[in-house]
Structures are given as structure tokens and as C-alpha cells.
Amino acid sequence: MTTKFEWHDYVLIGLGLVVLIVSTIIILMNYGTMPDQIPMHYDFDGTVTNLSSKKEIIFLVVMDWFIYGVMIVSIFFPKMWNMPQVSPQNAPRAVFATKKMLEVMALLLTIMFSYMMLSSGGILPYFNWLLFVFLGIIFVVTFGCVIYLMILK
């Protein structure tokens, strides 16, 4: 099984890289103006439950890059995907759908993680409902993409 790349694959991967680069630059440019203690955890009401040193936001930036990198690199190794046995005629569709799901999920998780970093740093306002919206979008788009590609296409 190989993964063939088309223009939309490059667009999704490129958008994720743009989000990573822009959020990293914004955090580095605003690092000096961030308070020494920044919120790292909120409860369901949006109340801060854990403060941490602003140095930890650099760790979050590194983790964002790492998670995105692992998800994108995994696209190139479809043999390591935990896919059920599919017939030879359905294998290309299954590989295409799984690859697309990984690309979309990587982009959406990067957007969500970047928003959380920027809001923890005080650069963007924090809206606790927005994380639920992100998670809902990730769920619907990721699995909707797979359902569409596997059943309807």
C-alpha cells in the first residue's frame, strides 16, 4: 500500500504548517509581555484551576510541533496504521480515507492546540465553549470525512 499525494493533501499539510509557524511566531514575539504565571488548566466554567510558569508555554509549542509532525509522518507509513482487513479492490479507498482523516485531524488539532496556547499566554481571549466547538468539529469532520470517502464516494 502506498499513499499517493494530490494537491489537496499539500493544501491541508501546508495549512497546518502555516498555523504552527504563525502561532509560534506570535508566542515568541509576545513572550516578554506575558505574565510570569499563566493559566494552564480551566474547569468547565472557565475558571482557572492551575497556574504555571510562562516557561511552560515553550514546552507547549514544542509539543504542538511534535504532535503535528508525528501525525504527518505517519501518513507516509500506511503499514503502521491499524486498519482492518479490506479486500484488494477496497484497499485504495481505505488508504485514501485514512490518509485524509489523518491530515484533517492533524490540522484541526493544531488549530485547537494553538488557540489554547495563545489564550493561555493572554494573547487571545479564552472562551471555554470554544474548546467544545473545536472538539465537536474535530469529531464531525474527521469521522464525516471517513464516512463520505468510504461510503458515498
Side-chain angles (χ1 to χ4, degrees):
M1 278 188 287
T2 60
T3 56
K4 179 183 172 193
F5 279 80
E6 298 177 20
W7 67 269
H8 42 83
D9 299 313
Y10 296 111
V11 168
L12 286 171
I13 293 170
L15 285 173
L17 286 173
V18 167
V19 169
L20 283 170
I21 291 167
V22 168
S23 64
T24 301
I25 289 171
I26 290 172
I27 286 172
L28 293 176
M29 287 176 58
N30 290 289
Y31 186 77
T33 61
M34 287 181 198
D36 291 334
Q37 295 287 311
I38 59 173
M40 280 296 185
H41 191 267
Y42 300 87
D43 64 9
F44 285 111
D45 297 331
T47 307
V48 176
T49 58
N50 185 21
L51 291 172
S52 196
S53 168
K54 73 177 181 179
K55 293 177 184 175
E56 287 195 31
I57 204 155
I58 300 301
F59 174 73
L60 294 177
V61 170
V62 171
M63 284 304 299
D64 197 10
W65 279 91
F66 177 76
I67 291 168
Y68 186 77
V70 166
M71 291 185 77
I72 295 304
V73 167
S74 70
I75 292 170
F76 295 98
F77 302 99
K79 288 186 179 184
M80 72 181 214
W81 302 344
N82 189 14
M83 292 178 57
Q85 292 292 332
V86 294
S87 64
Q89 65 267 24
N90 286 334
R93 281 184 23 198
V95 169
F96 178 80
T98 305
K99 178 176 62 114
K100 195 60 58 193
M101 181 186 73
L102 285 169
E103 292 167 356
V104 170
M105 196 169 18
L107 174 62
L108 294 174
L109 285 172
T110 298
I111 292 169
M112 183 178 82
F113 205 73
S114 294
Y115 167 73
M116 291 182 343
M117 289 186 305
L118 292 170
S119 64
S120 288
I123 298 162
L124 291 177
Y126 175 77
F127 301 109
N128 60 338
W129 56 266
L130 192 54
L131 293 180
F132 292 108
V133 170
F134 276 134
L135 291 174
I137 289 171
I138 289 169
F139 181 79
V140 169
V141 169
T142 301
F143 293 107
C145 179
V146 170
I147 290 169
Y148 169 74
L149 293 171
M150 291 297 291
I151 295 173
L152 301 176
K153 191 170 182 184

